[in-house]
């Protein structure tokens, strides 16, 4: 972070209004966090502001060239259902290489990425990841498989856990618990090993990890603890050393997709949102037809694994003018992420217009609906027992469902057959005393029949019904988003992520938009985020303006004013009455922040003899925060500056506090101006 900070007077004025222009002696930094009064419990002497109280600058240019030079950028798309990596050399940024072809695979399912599945041995050591993990687990004897720890679709735990911490646990298929941080670290270490081996083979010598800039993708709607968790897992995996955090970038998935979409040529996409023919198909015909054609085109080109991207903006982008707006809808396995961007010419930089939104509306919601259907037919008690007693067979059943799920389409008329594993049929008979066929007849579920070949036969309406709750959530969210004032006059809607391949979802989005925006689906839509993440790693400054997801500030003491401040916040110190726990805002939730935007304030120790200056940083999802003791406000970092043995040449020692925003992560630091001593804060969202 740069120490030479300038001033942007217009914004200073705007933010200074919030501080009510109190005199320099009116505030002392609070030093604690407990309820009802965090400050009272600590007893730190605190610090008091110097004037000017608020300075801000955009620090992008100075930051742009200071980082170490990397030979290659490797991006890891860590997905809920499938994962993979891609890379590009900094000398050939227009050539993006996807990972080697994965061994294994399922009929009708692309294997350019590998399933996000991991297998640990009975003594909890890493065994395998992806297809290798799934296939090995499948081949284990039933009695033996109970002792192995198999995990899948575990990424969602980071989104759904309310109080995520380093100690958060996951459940394996056999019911045993394992630390989430270990599983994520094992997975990242696996990708590191794969990528380094491939790069070493290409180079003809061992490739040095220090020459790699790593990028990990996360959903934009993830809260800060989940994003930090991925960074901690990367440190544990040895992806990057903790003392060189700049070697790893956390990329937001829809942002990565947006960056890639800037490079699209017309032959690299399907346009289903216009009234004219595109790719030989009219939008009124089968919406899945263009996607089928695109998949065939991609399959024929897949052997090279190298994608060429434009070194300038693509043909589609040339249609955009200054200020044009577009939406990226990232439909993944676990979540659906929506971002609204505005184009800034001539460079084609991007500005976020509305904070990322979405929810847990990914394609695994269809799996849950299928499980609910099985519970309705065979009973929840049996399904729960079967998952525990025959975990490998349950995995087999869900694999069979996955390939049929991908065949669902609005105009499908023939039934979809789902193979039931023999152990399902056998275990059900032992559990209930009658056959699977008998259960289907008695269940009153008319749209699912039993086939004599040992299959569940679902009519197309039954399969489409499994999609409905998930797609309804997505369409409702899109409808709400398009009603926001910031989301008017949208030129394009980019549909990306693996779930975007679904013709049912495509049709629903088309019906909702009614021609208001053109719907663009890139070819090889499941790799859009991966390729965009590589481009982001090559040039992280492409996103120039973001919306702050949280309100940030520090706790201070203000001079107590009778009638203005609550009586329970009064603290008497050396005969002076102070109001404790005041939240002094640095930046507010949903405020536009430029890349590298830095807020700087100057303080002085309340007591000249003070040897340690402590500043606590707080955050909240609320826009207006008055006190650090309010519900939803949490401490997320501490700046502790030790000035022992030093003397200031001026009467009042100046301590500068800086917070930098606009990146996917927040940085903070404090500087003792007299000695140039500097301390950086690691913003910690994972401590309980």
């Amino acid at each position: 972070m740069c120490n030479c900070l300038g001033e942007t007077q217009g914004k200073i004025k705007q933010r200074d209004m919030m501080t009510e222009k109190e005199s320099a002696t009116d505030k002392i930094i609070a030093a604690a966090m407990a309820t009802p009064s965090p400050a009272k419990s600590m007893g730190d002497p605190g610090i008091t502001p110097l004037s000017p109280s608020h300075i801000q600058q955009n620090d992008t240019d100075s930051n742009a060239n200071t980082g170490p030079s990397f030979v290659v950028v490797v991006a890891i798309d860590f997905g809920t259902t499938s994962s993979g990596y891609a890379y590009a050399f900094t000398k050939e940024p227009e050539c993006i290489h996807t990972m080697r072809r994965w061994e294994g695979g399922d009929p009708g399912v692309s294997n350019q990425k590998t399933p996000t599945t991991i297998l640990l041995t009975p003594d909890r050591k890493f065994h395998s990841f992806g297809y290798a993990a799934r296939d090995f687990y499948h081949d284990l004897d039933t009695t033996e498989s109970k002792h192995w720890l198999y995990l899948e679709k575990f990424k969602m735990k980071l989104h759904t856990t309310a109080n995520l911490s380093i100690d958060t646990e996951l459940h394996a298929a056999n019911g045993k618990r394992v630390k989430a941080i270990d599983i994520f670290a094992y997975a990242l270490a696996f990708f590191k090993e794969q990528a380094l081996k491939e790069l070493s083979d290409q180079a003809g010598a061992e490739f040095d990890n220090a020459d790699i800039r790593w990028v990990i993708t996360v959903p934009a709607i993830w809260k800060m603890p989940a994003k930090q968790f991925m960074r901690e897992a990367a440190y544990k995996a040895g992806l990057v050393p903790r003392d060189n955090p700049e070697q790893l970038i956390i990329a937001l998935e829809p942002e990565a997709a947006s960056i890639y979409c800037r490079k699209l040529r017309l032959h690299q996409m399907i346009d289903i949102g216009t009234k004219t023919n595109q790719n030989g198909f009219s939008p009124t015909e089968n919406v899945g037809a263009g996607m089928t054609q695109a998949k065939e085109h991609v399959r024929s080109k897949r052997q090279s694994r190298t994608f060429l991207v434009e070194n300038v903006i693509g043909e589609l982008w040339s249609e955009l003018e200054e200020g044009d707006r577009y939406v990226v809808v990232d439909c993944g396995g676990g979540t659906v992420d929506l971002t609204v961007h505005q184009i800034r010419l001539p460079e084609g930089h991007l500005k976020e217009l509305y904070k990322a939104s979405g929810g847990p509306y990914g394609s695994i919601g269809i799996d849950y609906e299928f499980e609910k259907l099985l519970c309705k037919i065979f009973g929840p008690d049996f399904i729960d027992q079967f998952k525990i007693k025959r975990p490998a067979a349950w995995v087999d059943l869900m694999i069979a469902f996955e390939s049929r799920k991908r065949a669902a389409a609005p105009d499908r008329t023939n039934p979809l057959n789902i193979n039931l594993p023999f152990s399902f049929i056998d275990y059900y008979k032992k559990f209930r005393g009658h056959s699977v066929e008998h259960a289907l007849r008695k269940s009153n579920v008319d749209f699912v029949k039993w086939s004599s070949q040992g299959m569940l036969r679902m009519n197309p309406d039954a399969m489409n019904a499994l999609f409905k709750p998930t797609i309804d959530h997505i369409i409702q969210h899109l409808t709400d988003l398009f009603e926001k004032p910031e989301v008017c006059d949208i030129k394009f809607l980019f549909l990306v992520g693996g779930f975007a391949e679904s013709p049912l979802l495509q049709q629903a989005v088309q019906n909702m938009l009614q021609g208001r925006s053109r719907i663009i689906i890139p070819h090889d839509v499941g790799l859009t985020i991966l390729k965009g993440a590589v481009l982001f790693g090559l040039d992280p400054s492409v996103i120039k303006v973001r919306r702050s997801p949280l309100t940030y500030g520090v706790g201070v003491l203000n001079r107590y004013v009778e009638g203005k401040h609550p009586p329970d916040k009064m603290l008497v110190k050396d005969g002076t009455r102070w109001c404790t726990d005041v939240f002094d805002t640095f930046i507010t939730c949903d405020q536009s922040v430029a890349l590298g935007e830095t807020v700087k304030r100057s303080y002085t120790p309340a007591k000249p003899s003070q040897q340690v200056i402590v500043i606590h940083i707080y955050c909240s999802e609320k826009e207006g925060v008055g006190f650090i003791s309010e519900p939803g406000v949490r401490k997320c970092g501490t700046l502790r500056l030790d000035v022992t043995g030093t003397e200031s040449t001026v009467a009042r020692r100046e301590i500068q506090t800086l917070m930098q925003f606009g990146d996917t992560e927040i940085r903070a630091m404090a500087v003792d101006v007299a000695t140039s001593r500097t301390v950086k804060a690691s913003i910690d969202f994972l401590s309980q």
Side-chain angles (χ1 to χ4, degrees), residues 250-304:
I250 300 297
L252 308 182
E253 288 165 359
E255 280 193 359
S258 182
I259 292 163
Y260 178 69
C261 288
R262 292 164 71 244
K263 305 283 188 178
L264 283 176
R265 303 289 302 271
L266 292 177
H267 70 270
Q268 295 173 316
M269 65 187 194
I270 303 142
D271 186 337
I272 64 168
T274 60
K275 295 285 181 256
T276 56
N277 280 356
Q278 297 284 334
N279 303 295
F281 292 94
S282 162
T284 55
E285 296 173 19
N286 175 12
V287 289
M291 203 71 217
T292 306
Q293 188 189 60
K295 284 183 193 173
E296 289 307 315
H297 173 78
V298 166
R299 273 193 201 102
S300 65
K301 304 283 184 190
R302 187 165 284 166
Q303 292 307 312
S304 70

Side-chain angles (χ1 to χ4, degrees), residues 57 94 232 248 250 276 420 437 455 469 530 556 599 601 607-608 627 630 635 637 646:
Q57 89 163 38
E94 69 282 354
E232 291 296 328
L248 169 66
I250 300 297
T276 56
L420 278 185
E437 187 179 0
M455 299 178 181
L530 191 50
V556 302
V599 178
R601 305 212 179 158
K607 291 184 177 179
F627 296 95
E630 288 177 17
K635 186 170 76 173
T646 65

Side-chain angles (χ1 to χ4, degrees), residues 56 98 148 165 216 236 274 437 464 477 487 560 625 630:
Q56 170 216 320
T98 58
W148 289 67
S165 76
I216 299 174
K236 191 175 175 71
T274 60
E437 187 179 0
N464 295 358
H477 200 92
V487 194
Y560 186 82
V625 182
E630 288 177 17

Side-chain angles (χ1 to χ4, degrees), residues 319-578:
E319 296 182 34
L320 289 171
E321 298 171 359
E322 174 74 35
D324 275 354
R325 304 163 177 213
Y326 65 95
V327 172
V328 177
V329 184
D330 170 24
C331 307
T335 55
V336 168
D337 254 349
L338 298 94
T339 50
V340 186
H341 281 160
Q342 187 174 46
I343 190 80
R344 294 170 66 176
L345 298 175
E347 300 90 350
H349 291 142
L350 307 177
K351 175 183 179 180
E352 186 179 30
L353 284 182
Y354 186 76
K355 66 179 179 181
S357 62
Y361 318 136
S363 61
I364 59 171
I366 303 153
D367 300 351
Y368 296 143
E369 290 300 315
F370 178 60
E371 187 178 330
K372 279 159 68 175
L373 177 64
L374 293 176
C375 288
K376 188 174 179 181
I377 297 168
F378 303 108
D381 54 339
F382 166 72
I383 296 298
D384 288 344
Q385 276 301 301
F386 180 71
K387 285 162 77 173
I388 293 166
K389 300 290 187 185
R390 302 284 189 273
W394 174 256
V395 171
D396 278 354
L397 175 56
M398 294 312 291
I399 291 167
F401 174 69
E402 178 67 26
S403 64
R404 297 291 78 207
K405 180 174 84 175
R406 288 168 183 255
D411 61 341
R412 189 182 178 100
T413 54
N414 54 321
L416 296 125
N417 294 325
I418 299 161
N419 279 308
L420 278 185
F422 171 75
S423 59
F424 185 99
I425 299 165
D426 181 59
Y427 190 68
Y428 183 78
K429 190 157 192 175
K430 288 175 182 172
F431 190 88
R432 289 275 190 246
H434 57 251
S435 68
V436 163
E437 187 179 0
H438 180 267
L440 273 162
R441 279 202 311 269
K442 295 288 185 185
S443 68
N444 296 323
V445 178
D446 297 332
F447 40 79
V448 181
K449 305 294 182 189
W450 177 246
S451 160
S452 55
Q453 288 90 20
M455 299 178 181
L456 290 179
R457 179 166 291 199
M458 297 182 69
N459 74 29
D461 289 343
M463 178 62 84
N464 295 358
L466 299 182
F467 279 73
K468 191 175 186 307
T470 302
I471 289 178
D472 284 353
H473 275 303
I474 297 168
I475 296 305
Q476 184 59 56
H477 200 92
L478 261 177
T479 303
D480 294 344
L481 183 71
F482 270 72
E483 288 175 356
K484 307 284 183 193
E486 302 94 332
V487 194
C488 61
D489 301 322
I490 298 298
K491 197 158 192 174
F492 297 116
L493 182 142
F494 291 99
L495 208 52
V496 303
F499 192 16
E501 291 185 8
S502 165
L504 290 167
L505 178 59
Q506 292 173 20
Q507 186 186 62
V509 173
Q510 200 172 0
N511 291 342
M512 172 257 162
L513 283 176
Q514 293 290 307
R516 282 181 288 170
S517 305
R518 286 169 59 186
I519 303 168
I520 307 294
I521 306 174
H523 286 184
D524 236 1
V525 67
L527 294 180
T528 302
I529 290 157
L530 191 50
K531 290 184 277 190
V534 174
L535 294 171
F536 183 61
L538 291 165
D539 180 16
S541 67
V542 66
I543 308 280
K544 291 294 185 188
V545 180
R546 288 186 175 88
R547 295 275 178 160
S548 175
L550 296 170
T551 294
Y552 291 93
V554 295
V556 302
L557 296 178
N558 276 358
R559 192 68 65 95
Y560 186 82
V561 178
E562 200 82 49
K564 177 185 174 185
H565 295 133
D568 62 332
K569 295 292 183 187
M570 189 175 73
L571 176 70
V572 180
K573 257 190 176 185
D574 300 328
T576 304
R577 298 195 307 171
W578 302 97

Side-chain angles (χ1 to χ4, degrees), residues 62-221:
S62 57
N63 277 345
N65 303 314
T66 54
S69 57
F70 300 101
V71 176
V72 66
V73 169
V74 180
I76 299 171
D77 181 6
F78 198 123
T80 301
T81 52
S82 60
S83 299
Y85 68 88
Y87 59 93
F89 292 95
T90 52
K91 288 184 178 176
E92 291 183 306
E94 69 282 354
C95 293
I96 301 174
H97 308 270
T98 58
M99 57 276 165
R100 288 169 174 162
R101 192 173 176 83
W102 297 98
E103 295 302 316
D106 305 319
V109 178
S110 163
N111 67 341
Q112 279 186 289
K113 293 201 281 188
T114 195
T116 309
T117 54
I118 195 166
L119 184 64
L120 307 187
T121 62
D123 59 351
R124 295 172 179 259
K125 298 284 193 299
F126 175 79
H127 180 271
S128 48
F129 185 90
Y131 286 116
R134 208 190 62 192
D135 295 345
F136 187 92
Y137 184 62
H138 169 269
D139 293 340
L140 285 171
D141 180 76
T142 306
T143 53
E144 200 180 353
S145 67
K146 293 176 188 174
H147 304 293
W148 289 67
L149 285 82
Y150 178 83
L151 297 99
E152 62 178 355
K153 299 170 185 168
F154 49 85
K155 179 184 169 187
M156 279 299 287
K157 184 78 173 179
L158 301 194
H159 181 69
T160 56
T161 303
N163 295 308
L164 186 68
S165 76
I166 293 298
D167 298 319
T168 295
E169 292 183 322
L170 301 170
H171 284 91
N174 61 2
K176 291 184 179 175
R177 295 192 299 189
V178 60
K179 273 195 165 186
I181 193 76
D182 293 337
I183 297 302
F184 281 85
Y186 281 142
L188 293 173
F190 167 80
F191 282 115
K192 177 191 175 188
E193 183 186 343
Q194 296 288 317
L196 277 173
K197 188 174 188 312
E198 184 169 344
L199 290 167
S200 298
D201 289 350
Q202 275 206 13
E206 190 169 340
F207 206 89
D208 188 355
N209 188 52
D211 290 332
I212 300 174
R213 162 172 270 168
W214 292 93
V215 181
I216 299 174
T217 64
V218 301
I221 57 166

Side-chain angles (χ1 to χ4, degrees), residues 30-34 37-44 556-557 571 580-581 628:
M33 187 182 177
S37 174
K40 288 183 182 179
S41 65
M42 292 291 282
D44 285 339
V556 302
L557 296 178
L571 176 70
T580 67
D581 308 332
I628 61 175

Side-chain angles (χ1 to χ4, degrees), residues 601-661:
R601 305 212 179 158
S602 294
Y603 299 94
T604 190
K607 291 184 177 179
S609 59
Q610 203 169 316
Q611 299 297 299
V612 179
I613 294 97
V614 180
I615 304 167
H616 294 302
I617 302 164
Y618 296 87
C619 64
S620 172
E621 291 183 17
K622 291 194 301 181
E623 195 170 325
V625 182
F627 296 95
I628 61 175
S629 53
E630 288 177 17
V633 179
R634 61 178 296 185
K635 186 170 76 173
C636 61
T638 299
L639 290 161
R640 190 179 297 273
L641 192 60
D642 191 339
V643 292
T644 307
T646 65
E647 287 187 14
S648 175
T649 54
V650 293
R652 305 177 75 195
R653 181 192 293 267
E654 183 180 357
I655 307 294
Q656 290 180 348
T657 305
L658 305 93
M659 288 178 74
Q660 191 181 64
F661 303 92

